[in-house]
Amino acid sequence: MIGDERWDGVYSFEDSPFIMEILTELRNRETGSIPFRKGLVKLGRYMGYELTKLMDVERVRIETPLEATEGILVKDRRNVVIITVLRAAIPLMEGLIKVFEHARVGIVSASRGKAPEFEIEMNYIKIPRITPQDTVIVADPMIATGSTLVRALRELSKYGKPKRLMVLGVLAAPEGIERLKREFPELNVVVAKVDRELNEHGYILPGLGDAGDRAFGAPIKAPMPPGTRGV
Ligand code: URA
């Protein structure tokens, strides 16, 4: 994991051949949804493991069967809140929770409208208790315009101030990072890679396409039975 020279608190994994190999598989249009989801789970797990480098540790005395020695406790690992931005963050969260097994988990469902307005509609939000000891990890694979995340982070700030606030994604566009850092300068942004740019439809280039559709299939407008409502 390396710091990006353009911004404080922004990290990528370009120094990690294995993470780059997983990213290459995700980018490949030939990769189907099963390996795509598995790739996201792996990234959640391996990137989550690296996030512990940004956490505080405590020295502890323990006894091996042979003698007393000193060890390490990653104290902050026990105080983690993972916020899952639907849909595509579900497999990322599955990987993250393997590292942060004590985590409390929140859900944000938000959808982005079409260009050029990219209006954000937030349909569902359930956030657990956030304390001053917590590290909050907002999982969202694609940091494109940053508008969904800005909206989610504004909402989150109403639930308490954590010790540390992070966004974990797969790819980010420089435009999205700028937007996030302008409003949340203290935010840590951790992504596999910062890509080149956004296209006019708000997609990241070279990117990997629509992460939700790649992981779960493109939605169709389903005919709803009478008396029910889609969300
Ligand atoms: N969301 C995606 O899934 N992909 C992009 O490239 C941008 C936003």
Side-chain angles (χ1 to χ4, degrees), residues 5-163:
E5 285 166 3
R6 291 168 285 182
W7 307 274
D8 278 341
V10 176
Y11 303 89
S12 75
F13 284 78
E14 287 174 65
D15 60 332
S16 164
F18 187 36
I19 300 285
M20 290 300 100
E21 183 181 309
I22 299 169
L23 176 62
T24 304
E25 192 184 11
L26 293 179
R27 284 194 196 277
N28 189 342
R29 64 190 298 165
E30 302 298 328
T31 301
S33 44
I34 295 172
F36 192 90
R37 284 198 294 262
K38 285 187 176 166
L40 288 180
V41 174
K42 282 187 217 165
L43 286 185
R45 187 172 195 156
Y46 304 144
M47 290 169 71
Y49 155 77
E50 289 281 314
L51 283 189
T52 58
K53 290 183 178 165
L54 302 174
M55 294 182 160
D56 293 333
V57 298
E58 200 174 80
R59 297 200 175 279
V60 288
R61 293 293 297 174
I62 50 136
E63 304 266 345
T64 77
L66 301 172
E67 62 176 36
T69 187
E70 199 173 71
I72 290 285
L73 192 73
V74 189
K75 225 177 34 177
D76 289 348
R77 211 171 60 79
R78 278 130 187 100
N79 295 300
V80 168
V81 175
I82 302 171
I83 306 295
T84 313
V85 181
L86 297 181
R87 283 177 293 164
I90 295 172
L92 261 191
M93 187 268 286
E94 189 184 326
L96 278 169
I97 212 153
K98 295 202 160 76
V99 181
F100 305 109
E101 70 272 21
H102 310 276
R104 281 162 270 141
V105 178
I107 303 279
V108 172
S109 166
S111 52
R112 189 182 73 174
K114 289 204 183 323
E117 296 87 7
F118 299 118
E119 209 174 300
I120 303 298
E121 200 182 318
M122 194 163 277
N123 343 82
Y124 183 83
I125 177 158
K126 272 275 182 285
I127 308 291
R129 174 176 50 90
I130 294 176
T131 74
Q133 289 78 43
D134 288 334
T135 295
V136 174
I137 306 170
V138 183
D140 187 1
M142 306 299 277
I143 306 170
T145 62
S147 350
T148 310
L149 276 169
V150 163
R151 181 74 191 277
L153 292 169
R154 278 184 197 156
E155 206 55 43
L156 263 183
S157 65
K158 299 178 187 163
Y159 290 75
K161 191 168 165 45
K163 176 173 178 179

Side-chain angles (χ1 to χ4, degrees), residues 112 142 144 202-204 209-212:
R112 189 182 73 174
M142 306 299 277
Y203 278 87
I204 297 174
D210 186 303

Side-chain angles (χ1 to χ4, degrees), residues 187-206:
L187 182 73
N188 284 146
V189 178
V190 181
V191 286
K193 189 166 192 305
V194 180
D195 257 356
R196 194 178 69 241
E197 59 183 343
L198 286 180
N199 72 8
E200 70 276 22
H201 303 293
Y203 278 87
I204 297 174
L205 296 176

